[in-house]
């Protein structure tokens, strides 16, 4: 038995090795492509509202439709990767998403744009649901939390780049040109990803069984730890998307009167995640995950409160605090999920991410009602209420630090 365990450990990727560098770069490119394609429309929702005469709720569909389809796709992409392999699913997804975004750039009606965006989200589910599973299988357990933090950092930079590039290109050209450019960039990164990512060494194929998928889904939602982590993912992403979808609406109006490029520059704030995500991964090894999670959620709430002042410095400071808390919390919950299940890892991660992006879709649309009623104050009350529920779940998780399913 000892020899078998030693043999398995020899297959893990160690920090500082060439394979570690290749995995880090490849998944950085995958995360960059995924989140630049997904979120490139977020800072230009106001432009869509003007061009197609849409309400904030209708305009939000350009972002909530792909995140909704991504969440649904994750329920199947994870189990599919358990059967045919991680790299195949991720590679196919990246190429499909880049093609669909290019086709979207040529659409002339908002209904068709929403349709193409929804298909893009469905394609991207194959990357977002599998990447963390790949890391949990291939990276040495001692560096898993750090590796997931690095991966989330790549997602952060991709999200920033997509938002900033779309704002900049829309300012000088059009949203069509913005989508074309981002799709070409994602296609090039997809090619590099295929060449760089090492083939899985610790992957074991399992048969694709629909009945097993359903029973596993129900079993994990009944578990006292995973069920709360799934809810936490929903609350986290829903809150994050709501704040950054409607901050543009606030800043383009009085007393700020920002132009589109200035709103896009706010995406720089996301880069705080490059620091806070790996840092949270390091802190996990010293402190209880639930304590770090509660601290991160409180930081998010405090950040929202700071944004209530009509002073640009305080608004930016509040967004920085909110973002740092979000990325730290996401890093903690992602690591916790990756460590939680010893079998069907792809399914566990996909259910968590299903909840995560479902929160993005539902919150992103419903919050439009709160903007219509109370503008930024209404949005703030909406988000803080759900973050308080998140703190309640995190406190419940205090007694479940080592429960594995």
């Amino acid at each position: 038995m000892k020899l078998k365990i030693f043999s398995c450990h020899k297959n893990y990727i160690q920090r500082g090795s060439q394979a570690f560098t290749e995995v880090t770069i490849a998944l950085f490119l995958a995360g960059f492509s995924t989140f630049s394609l997904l979120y490139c429309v977020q800072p230009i929702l106001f432009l869509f509202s003007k061009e197609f005469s849409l309400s904030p709720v209708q305009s939000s569909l350009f972002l909530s439709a792909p995140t909704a389809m991504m969440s649904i796709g994750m329920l199947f992409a994870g189990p599919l990767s358990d059967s045919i392999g991680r790299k195949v699913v991720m590679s196919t997804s990246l190429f499909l998403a880049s093609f669909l975004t290019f086709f979207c750039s040529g659409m002339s009606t908002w209904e068709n744009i929403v349709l193409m965006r929804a298909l893009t989200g469905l394609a991207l589910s194959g990357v977002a649901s599998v990447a963390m599973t790949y890391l949990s299988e291939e990276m040495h357990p001692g560096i898993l939390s750090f590796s997931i933090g690095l991966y989330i950092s790549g997602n952060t930079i991709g999200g920033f780049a997509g938002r900033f590039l779309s704002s900049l290109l829309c300012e000088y050209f059009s949203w069509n040109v913005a989508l074309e450019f981002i799709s070409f960039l994602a296609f090039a990164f997809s090619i590099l990803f295929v060449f760089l990512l090492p083939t899985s060494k610790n992957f074991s194929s399992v048969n694709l069984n629909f009945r097993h998928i359903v029973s596993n889904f129900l079993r994990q939602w009944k578990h006292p730890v995973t069920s709360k982590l799934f809810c936490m993912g929903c609350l986290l992403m829903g809150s994050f998307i709501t704040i950054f979808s409607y901050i543009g609406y606030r800043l383009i109006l009085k007393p700020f009167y920002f132009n589109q490029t200035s709103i896009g520059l706010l995406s720089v704030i996301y880069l705080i995640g490059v620091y806070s995500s790996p840092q949270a991964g390091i802190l996990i090894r010293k402190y209880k995950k639930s304590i770090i999670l509660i601290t991160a959620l409180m930081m998010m709430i405090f950040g929202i409160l700071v944004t209530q002042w009509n002073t640009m410095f305080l608004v930016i400071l509040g967004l920085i605090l909110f973002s740092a808390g979000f990325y730290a919390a996401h890093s903690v919950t992602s690591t916790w999920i990756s460590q939680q299940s010893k079998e069907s890892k792809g399914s566990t991660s996909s259910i968590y991410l299903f909840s995560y992006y479902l929160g993005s879709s539902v919150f992103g649309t419903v919050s439009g009602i709160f903007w219509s009623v109370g503008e930024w104050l209404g949005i703030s009350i909406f988000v803080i209420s759900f973050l308080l529920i998140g703190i309640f779940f995190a406190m419940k998780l205090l007694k479940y630090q080592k429960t594995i399913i």
Side-chain angles (χ1 to χ4, degrees):
M1 178 62 72
K2 289 183 179 179
L3 288 174
K4 185 176 181 181
I5 294 174
F6 176 77
S7 173
C8 289
H9 276 259
K10 284 202 306 184
N11 290 329
Y12 283 127
I13 295 173
Q14 302 283 349
R15 185 174 179 178
S17 65
Q18 181 180 345
F20 177 84
T21 302
E22 290 174 344
V23 169
T24 301
I25 295 174
L27 287 182
F28 170 85
L29 295 175
F32 185 100
S33 300
T34 298
F35 288 87
S36 61
L37 290 170
L38 185 63
Y39 292 119
C40 60
V41 302
Q42 188 176 28
I44 58 174
L45 292 178
F46 187 78
L47 290 182
F48 286 122
S49 292
K50 289 178 62 178
E51 181 168 338
F52 297 103
S53 301
L54 304 174
S55 68
V57 174
Q58 289 174 312
S59 179
S60 70
L61 290 174
F62 292 111
L63 186 58
S64 59
T67 52
M69 291 302 292
M70 177 184 272
S71 67
I72 294 171
M74 283 173 177
L75 292 177
F76 303 96
L80 181 63
S81 75
D82 285 336
S83 178
I84 67 174
R86 316 302 184 196
K87 186 173 180 177
V88 173
V89 172
M90 287 190 285
S91 302
T92 304
S93 298
L94 285 171
F95 284 115
L96 279 175
S98 61
F99 291 145
L100 288 166
T101 300
F102 177 75
F103 294 143
C104 183
S105 68
M107 297 296 162
S108 57
T109 64
W110 80 274
E111 294 89 351
N112 286 336
I113 296 171
V114 170
L115 175 61
M116 296 305 295
R117 291 284 300 159
L119 292 174
T120 300
L122 184 62
L124 289 173
S125 66
V127 182
S129 65
V130 176
M132 287 192 295
T133 305
Y134 176 93
L135 287 172
S136 68
E137 287 177 341
E138 304 302 319
M139 308 304 281
H140 190 278
I143 61 169
L144 176 60
S145 59
F146 178 71
S147 298
I148 288 178
L150 287 178
Y151 166 66
I152 294 174
S153 296
N155 297 348
T156 304
I157 295 173
F160 154 70
R163 292 168 171 105
F164 175 69
L165 287 172
S166 63
S167 292
L168 185 64
L169 291 170
C170 282
E171 184 76 20
Y172 296 100
F173 300 100
S174 66
W175 65 266
N176 312 78
V177 173
L179 292 187
E180 286 176 4
F181 181 84
I182 292 169
S183 68
F184 282 129
L185 190 63
F187 178 74
F189 284 179
S190 302
I191 295 173
L192 290 172
F193 171 82
V194 172
F195 281 103
L196 283 172
L197 189 72
T199 304
S200 299
K201 290 187 171 141
N202 298 319
F203 169 74
S204 297
S205 178
V206 296
N207 292 329
L208 195 60
N209 186 306
F210 181 75
R211 182 177 294 178
H212 175 72
I213 293 172
V214 173
S215 64
N216 183 58
F217 180 86
L218 295 175
R219 178 173 63 91
Q220 301 216 45
W221 270 104
K222 291 177 182 178
H223 191 272
V225 176
T226 53
S227 59
K228 292 178 179 62
L229 291 174
F230 297 155
C231 292
M232 190 68 69
C234 178
L235 297 173
L236 283 173
M237 191 55 170
S239 300
F240 184 73
I241 286 300
T242 297
I243 289 296
F244 279 98
S245 290
Y246 289 96
I247 192 65
Y249 281 87
R250 182 189 183 193
L251 296 179
I252 213 163
L253 302 173
K254 66 177 184 180
F256 302 104
Y257 298 110
F258 271 37
N259 60 28
Q260 196 59 56
T261 301
S262 299
I263 291 174
L265 280 171
L266 285 177
S267 301
V268 173
I269 293 170
Y270 303 151
L271 297 182
I272 191 68
V274 175
Y275 171 78
S276 65
S277 294
Q279 190 64 31
I282 293 170
L283 290 174
I284 286 172
R285 302 181 66 182
K286 298 180 181 179
Y287 308 101
K288 287 186 176 182
K289 291 187 282 288
S290 51
I291 296 297
I292 302 171
L293 193 53
I294 291 170
T295 303
L297 290 166
M298 292 177 66
M299 185 182 298
M300 292 174 72
I301 292 174
F302 182 67
I304 295 173
L305 294 175
V306 172
T307 65
Q308 301 310 305
W309 278 268
N310 287 329
T311 304
M312 198 61 242
F313 170 76
L314 291 176
V315 171
I316 293 175
L317 176 62
L319 291 175
I320 290 172
L321 292 171
F322 175 82
S323 298
F326 165 75
Y327 284 111
H330 179 39
S331 182
V332 172
T333 54
S334 298
T335 301
W336 204 335
I337 280 289
S338 296
Q339 295 172 339
Q340 189 62 34
S341 179
K342 293 302 181 184
E343 57 181 22
S344 300
K345 287 179 176 287
S347 299
T348 307
S349 294
S350 66
I351 296 171
Y352 169 73
L353 290 167
F354 160 77
S355 307
Y356 185 75
Y357 287 103
L358 184 64
S360 170
S361 178
V362 174
F363 278 52
T365 300
V366 174
S367 56
I369 300 171
F370 286 82
W371 172 265
S372 300
V373 173
E375 296 191 343
W376 188 249
L377 180 61
I379 291 291
S380 300
I381 293 172
F382 175 74
V383 172
I384 288 174
S385 299
F386 282 99
L387 290 176
L388 289 172
I389 296 173
I391 291 175
F392 172 77
F393 282 133
M395 292 177 68
K396 289 286 186 181
L397 284 167
L398 271 170
K399 60 181 178 179
Y400 297 112
Q401 294 296 297
K402 295 182 179 179
T403 306
I404 306 295
I405 60 174

